[in-house]
mmCIF file of all heavy atoms in Angstrom:
data_model
loop_
_atom_site.group_PDB
_atom_site.id
_atom_site.type_symbol
_atom_site.label_atom_id
_atom_site.label_comp_id
_atom_site.label_asym_id
_atom_site.label_seq_id
_atom_site.Cartn_x
_atom_site.Cartn_y
_atom_site.Cartn_z
ATOM 1 N N THR A 199 21.710 108.785 146.757
ATOM 2 C CA THR A 199 22.694 107.875 147.289
ATOM 3 C C THR A 199 23.935 107.778 146.456
ATOM 4 O O THR A 199 24.812 107.018 146.734
ATOM 5 C CB THR A 199 22.032 106.482 147.399
ATOM 6 O OG1 THR A 199 21.649 106.020 146.173
ATOM 7 C CG2 THR A 199 20.947 106.425 148.402
ATOM 8 N N SER A 203 30.954 113.076 142.307
ATOM 9 C CA SER A 203 31.948 112.824 141.261
ATOM 10 C C SER A 203 33.131 113.771 141.301
ATOM 11 O O SER A 203 34.069 113.634 140.524
ATOM 12 C CB SER A 203 31.252 112.883 139.916
ATOM 13 O OG SER A 203 30.775 114.167 139.708
ATOM 14 N N ALA A 210 41.334 111.468 150.091
ATOM 15 C CA ALA A 210 42.457 110.680 149.768
ATOM 16 C C ALA A 210 43.265 111.242 148.550
ATOM 17 O O ALA A 210 44.480 111.023 148.431
ATOM 18 C CB ALA A 210 42.085 109.251 149.404
ATOM 19 N N ALA A 213 46.042 116.944 147.962
ATOM 20 C CA ALA A 213 47.436 117.087 148.274
ATOM 21 C C ALA A 213 47.595 117.576 149.723
ATOM 22 O O ALA A 213 46.807 118.347 150.199
ATOM 23 C CB ALA A 213 48.123 118.038 147.304
ATOM 24 N N PRO A 220 59.980 119.349 144.464
ATOM 25 C CA PRO A 220 61.175 118.497 144.707
ATOM 26 C C PRO A 220 62.337 119.392 145.136
ATOM 27 O O PRO A 220 62.538 120.458 144.674
ATOM 28 C CB PRO A 220 61.448 117.841 143.398
ATOM 29 C CG PRO A 220 60.160 117.950 142.630
ATOM 30 C CD PRO A 220 59.464 119.219 143.100
ATOM 31 N N LYS A 228 67.529 115.043 149.301
ATOM 32 C CA LYS A 228 68.276 114.204 148.341
ATOM 33 C C LYS A 228 68.723 114.983 147.081
ATOM 34 O O LYS A 228 69.818 114.785 146.637
ATOM 35 C CB LYS A 228 67.434 113.001 147.919
ATOM 36 C CG LYS A 228 67.245 111.978 149.065
ATOM 37 C CD LYS A 228 66.401 110.850 148.593
ATOM 38 C CE LYS A 228 66.136 109.943 149.770
ATOM 39 N NZ LYS A 228 65.232 108.806 149.354
ATOM 40 N N GLY A 231 71.619 117.283 147.932
ATOM 41 C CA GLY A 231 72.852 116.476 148.117
ATOM 42 C C GLY A 231 73.440 116.043 146.796
ATOM 43 O O GLY A 231 74.628 116.074 146.575
ATOM 44 N N ARG A 235 77.123 117.056 145.335
ATOM 45 C CA ARG A 235 78.124 116.066 144.909
ATOM 46 C C ARG A 235 78.534 116.337 143.482
ATOM 47 O O ARG A 235 79.713 116.152 143.099
ATOM 48 C CB ARG A 235 77.536 114.650 145.111
ATOM 49 C CG ARG A 235 77.492 114.228 146.546
ATOM 50 C CD ARG A 235 77.188 112.775 146.669
ATOM 51 N NE ARG A 235 75.926 112.311 146.095
ATOM 52 C CZ ARG A 235 74.776 112.373 146.646
ATOM 53 N NH1 ARG A 235 74.688 112.767 147.914
ATOM 54 N NH2 ARG A 235 73.644 111.973 146.062
ATOM 55 N N ARG A 257 106.702 121.227 131.174
ATOM 56 C CA ARG A 257 107.504 120.336 130.320
ATOM 57 C C ARG A 257 107.905 121.029 128.996
ATOM 58 O O ARG A 257 109.022 120.916 128.548
ATOM 59 C CB ARG A 257 106.715 119.057 130.007
ATOM 60 C CG ARG A 257 107.387 117.841 130.547
ATOM 61 C CD ARG A 257 106.668 116.572 130.091
ATOM 62 N NE ARG A 257 105.575 116.350 131.005
ATOM 63 C CZ ARG A 257 104.392 115.813 130.684
ATOM 64 N NH1 ARG A 257 104.152 115.492 129.407
ATOM 65 N NH2 ARG A 257 103.447 115.663 131.531
ATOM 66 N N ALA A 258 106.976 121.772 128.403
ATOM 67 C CA ALA A 258 107.268 122.466 127.160
ATOM 68 C C ALA A 258 108.283 123.566 127.404
ATOM 69 O O ALA A 258 109.131 123.838 126.519
ATOM 70 C CB ALA A 258 105.997 123.003 126.564
ATOM 71 N N GLY A 262 113.095 120.033 126.419
ATOM 72 C CA GLY A 262 113.838 118.743 126.183
ATOM 73 C C GLY A 262 114.559 118.333 127.392
ATOM 74 O O GLY A 262 114.191 118.573 128.498
ATOM 75 N N PRO A 265 121.158 119.347 129.893
ATOM 76 C CA PRO A 265 122.297 119.504 129.050
ATOM 77 C C PRO A 265 123.304 118.266 129.106
ATOM 78 O O PRO A 265 124.014 118.023 128.186
ATOM 79 C CB PRO A 265 123.020 120.719 129.553
ATOM 80 C CG PRO A 265 122.004 121.494 130.329
ATOM 81 C CD PRO A 265 121.013 120.478 130.816
ATOM 82 N N GLY A 278 131.208 101.626 125.378
ATOM 83 C CA GLY A 278 130.977 100.218 125.066
ATOM 84 C C GLY A 278 131.648 99.730 123.804
ATOM 85 O O GLY A 278 132.205 98.634 123.709
ATOM 86 N N TRP A 281 135.427 99.536 124.571
ATOM 87 C CA TRP A 281 135.680 98.410 125.379
ATOM 88 C C TRP A 281 135.702 97.123 124.506
ATOM 89 O O TRP A 281 136.632 96.259 124.668
ATOM 90 C CB TRP A 281 134.607 98.250 126.463
ATOM 91 C CG TRP A 281 134.945 97.263 127.577
ATOM 92 C CD1 TRP A 281 134.927 95.935 127.493
ATOM 93 C CD2 TRP A 281 135.196 97.609 128.913
ATOM 94 N NE1 TRP A 281 135.276 95.377 128.695
ATOM 95 C CE2 TRP A 281 135.384 96.371 129.620
ATOM 96 C CE3 TRP A 281 135.360 98.784 129.617
ATOM 97 C CZ2 TRP A 281 135.741 96.303 130.939
ATOM 98 C CZ3 TRP A 281 135.645 98.709 130.963
ATOM 99 C CH2 TRP A 281 135.852 97.517 131.596
ATOM 100 N N TYR A 286 138.850 92.789 121.538
ATOM 101 C CA TYR A 286 139.193 92.004 120.349
ATOM 102 C C TYR A 286 140.591 92.256 119.866
ATOM 103 O O TYR A 286 141.310 91.296 119.483
ATOM 104 C CB TYR A 286 138.175 92.306 119.223
ATOM 105 C CG TYR A 286 136.904 91.487 119.329
ATOM 106 C CD1 TYR A 286 135.656 92.112 119.410
ATOM 107 C CD2 TYR A 286 136.920 90.128 119.271
ATOM 108 C CE1 TYR A 286 134.525 91.386 119.499
ATOM 109 C CE2 TYR A 286 135.735 89.385 119.386
ATOM 110 C CZ TYR A 286 134.549 90.000 119.478
ATOM 111 O OH TYR A 286 133.421 89.282 119.567
ATOM 112 N N ALA A 303 130.354 91.194 127.507
ATOM 113 C CA ALA A 303 129.065 91.561 128.146
ATOM 114 C C ALA A 303 129.110 92.966 128.717
ATOM 115 O O ALA A 303 128.116 93.715 128.622
ATOM 116 C CB ALA A 303 128.786 90.516 129.233
ATOM 117 N N MET A 310 124.116 99.042 125.345
ATOM 118 C CA MET A 310 122.640 98.985 125.583
ATOM 119 C C MET A 310 122.123 100.110 126.484
ATOM 120 O O MET A 310 121.056 100.638 126.281
ATOM 121 C CB MET A 310 122.282 97.620 126.139
ATOM 122 C CG MET A 310 122.373 96.474 125.146
ATOM 123 S SD MET A 310 121.461 96.738 123.627
ATOM 124 C CE MET A 310 119.798 96.802 124.288
ATOM 125 N N ALA A 311 122.930 100.455 127.472
ATOM 126 C CA ALA A 311 122.528 101.544 128.383
ATOM 127 C C ALA A 311 122.411 102.872 127.574
ATOM 128 O O ALA A 311 121.450 103.631 127.775
ATOM 129 C CB ALA A 311 123.519 101.744 129.486
#
Side-chain angles (χ1 to χ4, degrees):
T199 59
S203 63
K228 290 180 185 177
R235 286 191 302 273
R257 243 186 275 145
W281 192 290
Y286 276 121
M310 288 306 297

